[in-house]
Amino acid sequence: MKLTRREFIKLGLGAGLTMMANPFSNLLFAEEIKAKEPDMVGIQNGTAAEMFERGIKELGGMSRFVKKDQTVVVKPNIGWAKTPADGATTQPDLVAKIIEHAYKAGAKKVYVFDNTCNNWQECYKSSGIEKAANGANASVAPANKEASYKKRNAGGKILKDVMVHELYLEADVVINVPVLKHHGSATMTSALKNLMGVVWDRRFYHGKGLHECIAEFAAVRKPDLNIIDAYQVMTRNGPRGISKSDIALRRMQIIGTDMVALDAAAAKVMELDPAKINHIVMAEKLGIGTMNLDKLSIKRVTL
Amino acid sequence: MSKIRKLYQSIFLIFSFYVFTADTALGESAVRFFHSLHIFPSLNAAFSGHGSRWMAVTLMLLVLTVFFGRFYCSFLCPVGFLQDILSSLAKRIKIKPSRVTNYPRLRVFMLFFTVFLALFNTGLWGWLDHFSIFGRLTNGFAIPAVNFILSPLEPYLNKTNYFQIEGSSAQAGFDFYYSILFIAALLAASAFRPRWFCNTLCPSGALFALIFKSGFMKIKLSPPCPGCKKCERNCPSGSITDGRVDYATCVTCLECVKICPKDILKISFARTEACDEIFPESKGTAASGTRRAFITNMATVAAGIVSAGYSSKLALAFDNVRKIACVIPPGAGTAYNFFSKCSACHMCISNCPSKVLKPALLENGFVGLSKPRMDFEKSYCGFECNICTGVCPSGALTYLPLAKKQTTAVGKVVLDTSAKTECIPYKNKTDCGSCAEHCPTGAVYMVQQGEVFVPKIRRVFCNGCGACEHVCPVAGAGKPIRVVPFPRHIPVLRLADIQDKIKKAPNVKAPNAPAKGVEDAKPSGGTDGFPF
């Protein structure tokens, strides 16, 4: 980790100084990056694993995010004791593919976990993610006991002290892999909402202000990479789903670093107006990212 | 204790612990086999129409007893093992056990009392049956005790998948103290009267003794005996007095045969006529075979039956079983069926993966004491799970296939939407939706009301799993969403079936992927097909 930081500082120092000196350089600098890699990649028309394979290539490969000997946390949505076909959890083949790429990029250890809503063992098993992750040599960690959580100050207006899974805090790289779903009270669950799965006390969120807490949690740590699994999209009765008819096959995936931008794009996939989804709007106000997709370079790939 | 017997007892003890704590991990056959080794739960299941082919094993056990005596008691029974350990401990501290015969009539009374408690449909026999007692010792005492002992290791253990514990949050409930009392009583009894429980209270022991009376393999003393009394002193059930073996209490452990220095104690397969019987008469009272003895014996049997009848009446009259305060597990059918068949062996409780099943104190009245109830404070019933319905040895819970279990209502949701409600979206006008999020049936759903989504309920779909009540972030007793228990479980509709029939995903446009036949048609770039 030290090496990486040093490298990063070396590389970024010059640019950083220029940016501080010149308020317009920010735009210029962003433009430079744009020329190289897009901010966001949308892929459609493949299996979840195929789309990721292509998408990460467009983004400059996994080695852009994972360096040698780093520990990586892959955080899929494993919330419910349902099968991959039910669309309530992230596609297991996608999780396996991400782990594979992380190891190829030189990761020392990859962890997979989620603080599930249903019984954790049943969720890990029936979602197929435990098997897929173990198959890809990742370590599937439990998140069902308070012993795994550490207190952090999120410094939000509502969310102050929050118990966060220690792997999420300690890992060098965090890869957020939500599945796109309708949500009864949050309207939509995607990248920002998926991070509720690294938090111990979710009742606090629900009790004190769901949208505010979701947005404010991003201050604790932003994932280094977000992959929105929209292979199957739950369009109603979310986040658990009642039957298979709640699911629409979209065969789509959105990859990028900006959770807010990704969620805004994901909302459009759900045919929703991101400006009406409170936690996305709040996150933008907190400076987590931008909802304005026109400002970003988006690469769209149809397989 | 001979080593081989210790080995058998230890293996069976571990097996018993394992069945009681990780039932489903063993596979159905092993579990059913274990259940069928226990007469009273199996009989009770058969009485209630839930007998299975595994009853053959139960009958086989009884047949084997005819030939080999009470080998179950001496080589297998975990409660017997516990007594052996306790009495050898007592011996260490130089307590001399009494050689006085146990109370033979009490034993007969207990046998008939228990059989008829089962026949008369009360679960009360569970308080005497060693299987159910062992279950309560395991779940009520051993598991919390292990949790307390290991609680310093909690931060390390709970970070792994391998051996998670509840640690300090494990609860010492009624069964914990009951178990301590039971073990203390057993210790005291075993110190002074070895195997006192087996030969006085245990109905299975009494049944085995009754069969053994007319059995084959027996211990016989062939004179001349120098009278060293080694066998007497070492008999774990105190059944040898002056060279006479009391076959009613002998558990065929063969300790005496092994210890006899002259090898004059022999196992004989010849049927013996002269022995103390299941209705033994101590010298001085009526000798066996007399009319007086017959009358006394019959009176004992009658007393057992009559007491069982009154106890069952009393137990059920004590409570109005139509009213229950806590949800009872799926598969119970009706509260009456459940309370009258359940022996509180805790098999379902220790196997519940979500740990929603907890032994009741007096929430469901006296008949519900120590029997499972759903504790929505602690957890909720998993929608994709039907384990408890499959592990009940005594027929109180009937097996429900998953689809049936999902559509059986054990209770119904109620939601307080009044002006005084504590429900967060109604009261604070902020989004919450925990209940609807967790609802597996669609009985609780969210509707936009002004700026926020508020919960609404469709009770027809609710199966009473309690997820909504458990996850509701409102603290304390005033939860706005609760599940009201049903004393009679009823079938419910599935929203999934109905919504599939009515219309296919109404608010969903066709998937973005190209329709069939145009699979190869690649959009020419730009934002084709992408909504963003």
Side-chain angles (χ1 to χ4, degrees):
Chain A
M1 183 162 176
K2 264 185 183 163
L3 251 176
T4 330
R5 190 174 289 162
R6 196 170 296 159
E7 265 176 25
F8 177 76
I9 291 168
K10 269 185 196 167
L11 284 168
L13 200 62
L17 284 170
T18 335
M19 270 160 68
M20 277 201 290
N22 182 355
F24 298 105
S25 69
N26 192 2
L27 275 172
L28 292 170
F29 185 61
E31 212 103 304
E32 253 177 49
I33 293 288
K34 260 185 204 172
K36 281 184 203 160
E37 283 124 9
D39 295 321
M40 186 201 287
V41 179
I43 317 101
Q44 66 177 356
N45 235 357
T47 67
E50 282 167 11
M51 289 190 287
F52 173 72
E53 191 100 46
R54 178 64 189 274
I56 195 72
K57 209 172 121 196
E58 298 290 342
L59 265 184
M62 191 60 118
S63 52
R64 209 186 119 194
F65 305 97
V66 179
K67 302 280 181 278
K68 202 171 167 1
D69 284 338
Q70 286 188 321
T71 55
V72 178
V73 156
V74 175
K75 162 64 182 75
N77 185 334
I78 329 178
W80 307 98
K82 298 202 129 197
T83 62
D86 291 322
T89 50
T90 304
Q91 291 297 315
D93 61 335
L94 171 61
V95 176
K97 192 52 99 183
I98 295 166
I99 297 164
E100 194 187 293
H101 276 263
Y103 276 124
K104 261 191 215 158
K108 188 168 66 185
K109 184 95 190 154
V110 181
Y111 295 96
V112 178
F113 72 89
D114 190 11
N115 184 3
T116 62
C117 296
N118 289 156
N119 178 287
W120 69 286
Q121 279 154 320
E122 284 171 34
C123 291
Y124 277 22
K125 201 174 158 204
S126 63
S127 67
I129 289 175
E130 186 175 39
K131 200 178 160 203
N134 281 332
N137 220 3
S139 168
V140 181
N144 65 319
K145 295 280 187 185
E146 206 175 348
S148 313
Y149 292 79
K150 279 185 181 163
K151 198 182 264 180
R152 270 291 179 282
N153 193 343
K157 231 159 71 188
I158 291 171
L159 194 68
K160 293 191 168 70
D161 281 340
V162 54
M163 296 288 278
V164 186
H165 199 287
E166 56 182 24
L167 287 173
Y168 183 76
L169 296 170
E170 287 160 11
D172 298 322
V173 181
V174 169
I175 302 175
N176 185 20
V177 198
V179 58
L180 182 59
K181 291 187 288 182
H182 163 252
H183 194 283
S185 47
T187 317
M188 178 189 90
T189 160
S190 187
L192 286 159
K193 174 83 176 62
N194 192 41
L195 295 183
M196 267 179 94
V198 303
V199 174
W200 176 246
D201 188 9
R202 286 187 293 232
R203 281 185 197 187
F204 181 87
Y205 276 52
H206 282 280
K208 302 294 178 203
L210 187 62
H211 289 289
E212 287 87 344
C213 291
I214 292 171
E216 287 173 2
F217 179 75
V220 172
R221 178 179 187 171
K222 278 193 270 186
D224 303 85
L225 180 63
N226 300 280
I227 300 144
I228 297 179
D229 174 16
Y231 181 74
Q232 293 169 334
V233 178
M234 188 181 286
T235 54
R236 58 174 184 184
N237 291 331
R240 198 183 190 282
I242 303 295
S243 77
K244 293 219 166 62
S245 70
D246 299 334
I247 311 297
L249 186 70
R250 298 302 290 246
R251 300 209 285 174
M252 199 173 271
Q253 200 169 93
I254 313 167
I255 313 181
T257 50
D258 184 340
M259 282 196 286
V260 181
L262 259 66
D263 275 6
K268 290 185 174 170
V269 175
M270 297 268 299
E271 286 149 28
L272 296 166
D273 180 4
K276 283 187 181 155
I277 300 168
N278 288 345
H279 62 262
I280 302 180
V281 177
M282 287 169 181
E284 189 187 38
K285 275 187 194 148
L286 290 169
I288 310 298
T290 176
M291 268 168 66
N292 189 351
L293 298 179
D294 300 335
K295 269 207 264 176
L296 302 171
S297 72
I298 302 176
K299 173 92 182 175
R300 298 174 183 83
V301 184
T302 304
L303 294 177
Chain B
M1 267 197 281
S2 89
K3 273 184 192 142
I4 186 126
R5 196 161 72 90
K6 260 190 204 163
L7 181 71
Y8 271 104
Q9 286 177 317
S10 311
I11 291 171
F12 200 73
L13 179 73
I14 293 164
F15 181 45
S16 308
F17 269 130
Y18 200 71
V19 172
F20 268 103
T21 52
D23 191 315
T24 43
L26 279 170
E28 204 204 332
S29 300
V31 174
R32 291 282 160 226
F33 177 74
F34 181 80
H35 289 175
S36 60
L37 286 181
H38 297 94
I39 298 169
F40 276 88
S42 304
L43 275 182
N44 196 62
F47 289 161
S48 52
H50 294 114
S52 65
R53 61 205 156 89
W54 289 99
M55 271 304 281
V57 177
T58 314
L59 293 175
M60 201 63 201
L61 181 76
L62 298 179
V63 171
L64 287 175
T65 306
V66 174
F67 290 96
F68 302 108
R70 293 171 65 177
F71 70 93
Y72 177 83
C73 305
S74 51
F75 281 83
L76 303 177
C77 180
V79 180
F81 189 29
L82 190 61
Q83 287 174 84
D84 284 352
I85 295 168
L86 292 176
S87 52
S88 65
L89 279 178
K91 226 183 251 174
R92 286 260 167 86
I93 53 169
K94 304 272 188 272
I95 294 175
K96 231 182 149 191
S98 160
R99 292 284 149 218
V100 179
T101 327
N102 293 304
Y103 307 101
R105 285 228 174 72
L106 182 56
R107 189 165 60 238
V108 177
F109 174 83
M110 290 318 287
L111 172 63
F112 283 88
F113 183 58
T114 319
V115 170
F116 279 85
L117 277 181
L119 276 175
F120 289 154
N121 258 340
T122 82
L124 287 175
W125 58 270
W127 294 99
L128 300 164
D129 169 51
H130 74 280
F131 173 85
S132 310
I133 289 173
F134 183 75
R136 286 195 293 276
L137 291 185
T138 307
N139 188 61
F141 178 73
I143 293 176
V146 168
N147 271 298
F148 290 139
I149 293 165
L150 293 180
S151 58
L153 299 174
E154 197 179 339
Y156 311 103
L157 289 174
N158 281 355
K159 281 185 194 176
T160 66
N161 297 353
Y162 310 111
F163 190 78
Q164 292 201 339
I165 58 166
E166 280 183 69
S168 43
S169 62
Q171 278 185 318
F174 166 78
D175 292 281
F176 188 79
Y177 302 109
Y178 160 84
S179 301
I180 289 180
L181 276 180
F182 182 84
I183 293 169
L186 211 59
L187 176 66
S190 330
F192 298 104
R193 299 261 164 88
R195 289 266 184 167
W196 182 83
F197 175 79
C198 302
N199 284 321
T200 310
L201 290 182
C202 179
S204 310
L207 186 63
F208 285 136
L210 192 65
I211 296 165
F212 182 44
K213 180 205 162 194
S214 45
F216 294 101
M217 198 180 88
K218 289 198 172 121
I219 308 298
K220 272 212 306 200
L221 184 86
S222 44
C225 166
C228 69
K229 302 218 165 172
K230 258 194 157 171
C231 53
E232 251 185 74
R233 281 199 300 277
N234 285 290
C235 177
S237 55
S239 310
I240 308 176
T241 324
D242 298 330
R244 272 164 55 91
V245 184
D246 178 2
Y247 296 122
T249 58
C250 168
V251 291
T252 350
C253 65
L254 311 181
E255 299 284 337
C256 53
V257 178
K258 205 175 157 244
I259 210 151
C260 180
K262 295 266 175 196
D263 281 345
I264 48 175
L265 272 169
K266 288 262 156 49
I267 313 165
S268 161
F269 277 93
R271 292 199 55 171
T272 44
E273 59 298 322
C275 57
D276 283 337
E277 295 149 10
I278 182 71
F279 304 130
E281 315 302 326
S282 16
K283 281 158 215 154
T285 62
S288 71
T290 66
R291 181 184 291 171
R292 195 174 155 197
F294 180 76
I295 291 170
T296 343
N297 292 333
M298 286 307 114
T300 315
V301 171
I305 297 171
V306 170
S307 319
Y310 274 108
S311 310
S312 61
K313 276 234 165 93
L314 264 176
L316 293 178
F318 207 88
D319 298 278
N320 181 357
V321 283
R322 284 190 186 81
K323 261 181 135 180
I324 50 173
C326 292
V327 172
I328 52 175
T334 63
Y336 178 82
N337 171 72
F338 176 68
F339 290 128
S340 61
K341 307 255 161 53
C342 174
S343 68
C345 73
H346 290 194
M347 191 70 100
C348 55
I349 295 174
S350 56
N351 282 294
C352 178
S354 61
K355 303 265 175 277
V356 65
L357 291 181
K358 297 277 178 213
L361 190 56
L362 291 170
E363 292 91 344
N364 281 338
F366 174 67
V367 286
L369 181 63
S370 198
K371 290 172 190 177
R373 63 162 180 128
M374 286 198 192
D375 185 353
F376 295 137
E377 189 66 34
K378 293 273 173 297
S379 186
Y380 60 92
C381 180
F383 190 63
E384 318 287 339
C385 168
N386 60 348
I387 284 174
C388 59
T389 71
V391 299
C392 182
S394 62
L397 304 180
T398 319
Y399 175 71
L400 297 180
L402 191 59
K404 181 120 191 267
K405 183 254 162 182
Q406 291 175 342
T407 53
T408 300
V410 295
K412 284 278 179 197
V413 63
V414 287
L415 175 68
D416 179 10
T417 53
S418 70
K420 279 188 276 176
T421 184
E422 288 292 318
C423 181
I424 289 155
Y426 285 107
K427 194 184 168 199
N428 302 349
K429 307 277 180 245
T430 57
D431 279 310
C432 170
S434 275
C435 48
E437 185 178 306
H438 280 74
C439 179
T441 61
V444 186
Y445 63 110
M446 304 304 285
V447 172
Q448 191 152 22
Q449 194 174 79
E451 285 296 295
V452 292
F453 288 95
V454 295
K456 296 267 181 201
I457 53 177
R458 301 179 274 223
R459 297 184 82 211
V460 277
F461 302 119
C462 178
N463 72 357
C465 73
C468 52
E469 182 176 336
H470 174 70
V471 297
C472 178
V474 175
K479 289 206 172 182
I481 196 160
R482 282 179 308 110
V483 169
V484 176
F486 276 0
R488 178 179 289 275
H489 296 172
I490 56 166
V492 290
L493 289 172
R494 274 166 68 102
L495 174 61
D497 299 341
I498 295 171
Q499 76 174 10
D500 287 355
K501 267 174 208 159
I502 294 173
K503 42 192 169 177
K504 282 243 180 272
N507 50 3
V508 182
K509 282 192 190 161
N512 250 329
K516 261 186 189 169
V518 285
E519 202 78 48
D520 294 329
K522 297 255 157 105
S524 56
T527 57
D528 281 334
F530 285 97
F532 53 87

